[in-house]
Amino acid sequence: MAIAFYILALLIIVSALGVISMKNPIHSAMCLIVTFLGVAGIFATLEAHFLATVQIIIYAGAIMVLVMFVIMLLNLKYEANTTLDYLFWIIGAVGCIAFVAITSQLFLNSMLVPLDYQAGSVGTVANIGRVLFTKYVFAFEAAGILIMAAIVGSIVVAKSVKGREE
Amino acid sequence: MEILILLLKAFIVMQVVLGLASFCTWVERKGSALIQDRIGANRAGAYWQPESVLLKPIAVFVRIFGMLGVINTLLNDAIKGLFKEDFVPEGTSNFMHCLGPFMAVLPVFLAFSVIPLAPDFALFGYQIRPQVAELHTGVLFVLAMGSIAVYGVVLAGWFGNNKFSLLGALRAAAQMISYELALGVAVATLVISYGTLDLYAIIESQKGFNWGINPLVNPTGLVTFVILFVVGMAETKRAPFDLPESESELVAGYFTEYSGMKWLLFWLGEFAEIALFSAILVVFFFGGWQMPFLELPENVWWAALLGHAIFMGKILFFCVLQIVIRWTLPRFRYDQLMNLGWKILLPLSFVNLVVTAAIELI
């Protein structure tokens, strides 16, 4: 299991680097898909089969297909070879240092629970469903309303643009 | 030993998929000839007359297969595909160009890993379940692989570096995304009525007459079957839903720029998809290896073989049915396709879901 984790972790890191370093947007999108699949693989090694399959369906399946769709329709060209400002370097460095500081703080205070590959007994579909519809029902419904609002909003925007043209 | 059994299972499942795909290829070629009142492939091997006496008994079989077109469609076409020039269009990377056919085949084969092909049996002291990945969320895994399958088409269309390819890929992606919604809702309806996501448990619960399509057991089963069948036909991108590869407008759609073995891989993926979809229909609605009036004894190897034969027979029936539909119906117009998906199938599947949930509550 540890070997599988290291292989998947390496895959995730390499493909995540690929997302930001590739010049062609569709290559970046492909790398992002590999990253998502790698995360699904890590879920699978933790015996969280439901999370793994949902990760593939929603992120690798639905969202990235839409991203590819947009890239194709907008016909994006290769990214121009821009040199980064010093400002961007500074912002990036500050972000990196903050991230490392926060994660190391988490490690040092041992706020992270060690992985014991026991998610299989907890993260079953029945358990997740039960918790989702009892304890977290408000958050669940709120997320549903939020997504509904986004859908309605996008339709309204699309319709209004069409009406203006006519 | 455990790993050896697992590898053996994976190998056997792969052979089953390839066998089903080959069968579909042959039925497509010879069956289309039958439907269109042609003769079809019947030359290769049909006139073989060996000099040696020893080869005569083999020659009888070869000639029968040749006349039936088996040698032409399965052997000769594959060899032809292997020896053709592997053409990569200018301006695309070779790696990405290869990725398209690969991604068209891979998800279909992976999806077969969760389908139990026969009942459990014990052999040499080992308890064997003929299912490669014993996932508790098998239904969702099949859906996940269905959503991954879009990439094969999208990549092929984009890295074909051809306008026709791109148009075909866009059509295919739009079609698959549109019909995936109704597919998901229909599958959710089935999960409500079966109460489990495990494909093996779903088949086990359909003993005797309790097939999923039986209205006495599953009142909305017939409606769900119709929805799932139409959606599945659309997901396999074959006529009457073959707008992505419509020959009369787009040359060949998303695989226009592929030749030789890569092109054959697309066909392999398509036929494996038909087989996968038939297998899903059989698992959900026609009881897998369960037959009325037939009680298979548990944990016996010959019962597993018999169950496998029944399962395969049902799958072959649906493969042939789909091919007959493909060669009978004309193509949809694009707006008809979208109307069917969004305005008819999706609301129908939602109503079906609510009704099923209400029945389950009562």
Side-chain angles (χ1 to χ4, degrees):
Chain A
M1 278 306 188
I3 300 169
F5 171 77
Y6 285 120
I7 293 171
L8 285 168
L10 191 70
L11 184 77
I12 291 169
I13 291 170
V14 169
S15 57
L17 284 175
V19 176
I20 50 171
S21 60
M22 291 283 182
K23 294 281 181 227
N24 192 337
I26 210 149
H27 289 172
S28 294
M30 289 302 300
C31 287
L32 196 54
I33 293 163
V34 175
T35 313
F36 285 145
L37 289 180
V39 173
I42 284 194
F43 284 143
T45 57
L46 293 170
E47 301 275 317
H49 295 163
F50 180 69
L51 265 185
T53 39
V54 166
Q55 166 87 14
I56 296 176
I57 291 175
I58 294 175
Y59 286 98
I63 290 176
M64 286 316 292
V65 168
L66 288 179
V67 168
M68 297 275 260
F69 216 73
V70 168
I71 292 172
M72 281 178 164
L73 282 176
L74 293 185
N75 201 9
L76 294 178
K77 293 279 173 281
Y78 283 75
E79 190 188 335
N81 227 345
T82 51
T83 47
L84 290 175
D85 276 343
Y86 283 112
L87 186 66
F88 283 109
W89 283 107
I90 292 163
I91 292 170
V94 169
C96 275
I97 290 164
F99 178 73
V100 169
I102 290 166
T103 43
S104 58
Q105 193 69 14
L106 281 173
F107 272 116
L108 290 175
N109 296 346
S110 66
M111 283 164 78
L112 298 173
V113 186
L115 303 172
D116 53 357
Y117 306 112
Q118 289 294 308
S121 54
V122 189
T124 59
V125 184
N127 282 345
I128 289 174
R130 203 167 289 130
V131 173
L132 209 58
F133 283 103
T134 52
K135 196 176 169 188
Y136 299 110
V137 69
F138 178 74
F140 179 70
E141 294 294 334
I145 290 169
L146 206 63
I147 292 169
M148 193 69 196
I151 292 170
V152 172
S154 66
I155 289 174
V156 166
V157 170
K159 282 275 175 191
S160 67
V161 168
K162 200 180 173 190
R164 218 177 293 146
E165 277 174 3
E166 283 165 1
Chain B
M1 196 61 201
E2 295 286 311
I3 289 179
L4 202 68
I5 290 175
L6 198 64
L7 283 176
L8 206 62
K9 278 200 272 190
F11 179 74
I12 289 171
V13 168
M14 204 184 107
Q15 296 310 310
V16 167
V17 183
L18 287 175
L20 283 171
S22 312
F23 176 79
C24 286
T25 315
W26 177 66
V27 172
E28 168 105 350
R29 295 283 301 280
K30 203 66 182 174
S32 70
L34 209 67
I35 289 169
Q36 297 175 340
D37 206 8
R38 292 184 283 117
I39 295 168
N42 73 335
R43 287 293 184 273
Y47 298 99
W48 186 46
Q49 280 177 332
E51 298 289 318
S52 165
V53 186
L54 292 171
L55 287 173
K56 291 273 181 193
I58 306 168
V60 175
F61 289 104
V62 171
R63 289 181 62 174
I64 290 171
F65 280 132
M67 273 185 267
L68 288 174
V70 176
I71 293 176
N72 198 326
T73 52
L74 298 188
L75 192 68
N76 288 16
D77 282 2
I79 293 170
K80 191 173 77 180
L82 279 174
F83 284 102
K84 271 195 176 175
E85 186 195 351
D86 181 22
F87 179 74
V88 179
E90 215 172 288
T92 59
S93 69
N94 199 357
F95 174 74
M96 286 298 188
H97 192 252
C98 287
L99 210 58
F102 183 70
M103 284 299 287
V105 174
L106 181 78
V108 189
F109 277 69
L110 279 179
F112 260 101
S113 68
V114 289
I115 290 175
L117 292 169
D120 280 350
F121 61 99
L123 198 64
F124 303 124
Y126 289 99
Q127 187 69 27
I128 296 168
R129 171 165 290 191
Q131 181 183 14
V132 178
E134 292 168 22
L135 282 181
H136 302 300
T137 54
V139 177
L140 286 178
F141 187 78
V142 173
L143 281 183
M145 288 304 118
S147 58
I148 292 289
V150 183
Y151 290 120
V153 175
V154 170
L155 287 176
W158 183 259
F159 291 104
N161 212 4
N162 180 328
K163 294 236 166 30
F164 291 120
S165 299
L166 188 60
L167 280 172
L170 280 176
R171 279 186 186 186
Q175 180 177 327
M176 287 170 95
I177 293 169
S178 305
Y179 280 78
E180 225 162 61
L181 293 167
L183 175 74
V185 178
V187 169
T189 314
L190 287 167
V191 170
I192 285 176
S193 49
Y194 286 116
T196 176
L197 289 169
D198 191 348
L199 290 168
Y200 192 89
I202 286 175
I203 296 180
E204 278 291 289
S205 70
Q206 300 179 43
K207 274 216 164 65
F209 283 111
N210 297 346
W211 281 6
I213 200 158
N214 188 347
L216 297 174
V217 186
N218 186 3
T220 54
L222 212 59
V223 182
T224 321
F225 172 70
V226 172
I227 296 169
L228 204 62
F229 194 80
V230 176
V231 169
M233 289 290 292
E235 288 279 315
T236 48
K237 301 184 292 298
R238 288 165 62 79
F241 298 99
D242 68 338
L243 288 113
E245 53 191 77
S246 50
E247 302 91 349
S248 43
E249 310 156 27
L250 296 179
V251 189
Y254 53 91
F255 52 72
T256 303
E257 289 293 338
Y258 286 86
S259 62
M261 208 57 207
K262 286 178 186 167
W263 182 77
L264 281 182
L265 270 180
F266 277 112
W267 282 101
L268 176 67
E270 191 168 316
F271 287 123
E273 223 168 271
I274 294 171
L276 172 71
F277 173 55
S278 308
I280 289 167
L281 281 183
V282 171
V283 167
F284 279 143
F285 298 106
F286 295 92
W289 52 79
Q290 314 276 8
M291 273 301 245
F293 305 116
L294 187 69
E295 280 285 323
L296 291 172
E298 280 180 18
N299 278 342
V300 195
W301 63 269
W302 59 263
L305 264 183
L306 188 62
H308 181 64
I310 293 169
F311 196 8
M312 282 297 130
K314 290 175 183 174
I315 292 176
L316 292 186
F317 172 77
F318 279 102
C319 290
V320 173
L321 181 66
Q322 284 181 71
I323 289 168
V324 169
I325 290 173
R326 184 232 194 276
W327 285 99
T328 314
L329 294 178
R331 189 179 300 139
F332 277 118
R333 226 168 45 221
Y334 196 74
D335 59 323
Q336 289 172 334
L337 176 92
M338 285 296 155
N339 279 348
L340 181 67
W342 288 98
K343 292 183 184 167
I344 298 172
L345 284 177
L346 189 60
L348 186 65
S349 56
F350 272 130
V351 170
N352 192 27
L353 178 81
V354 173
V355 169
T356 311
I359 289 169
E360 284 295 315
L361 276 178
I362 293 164

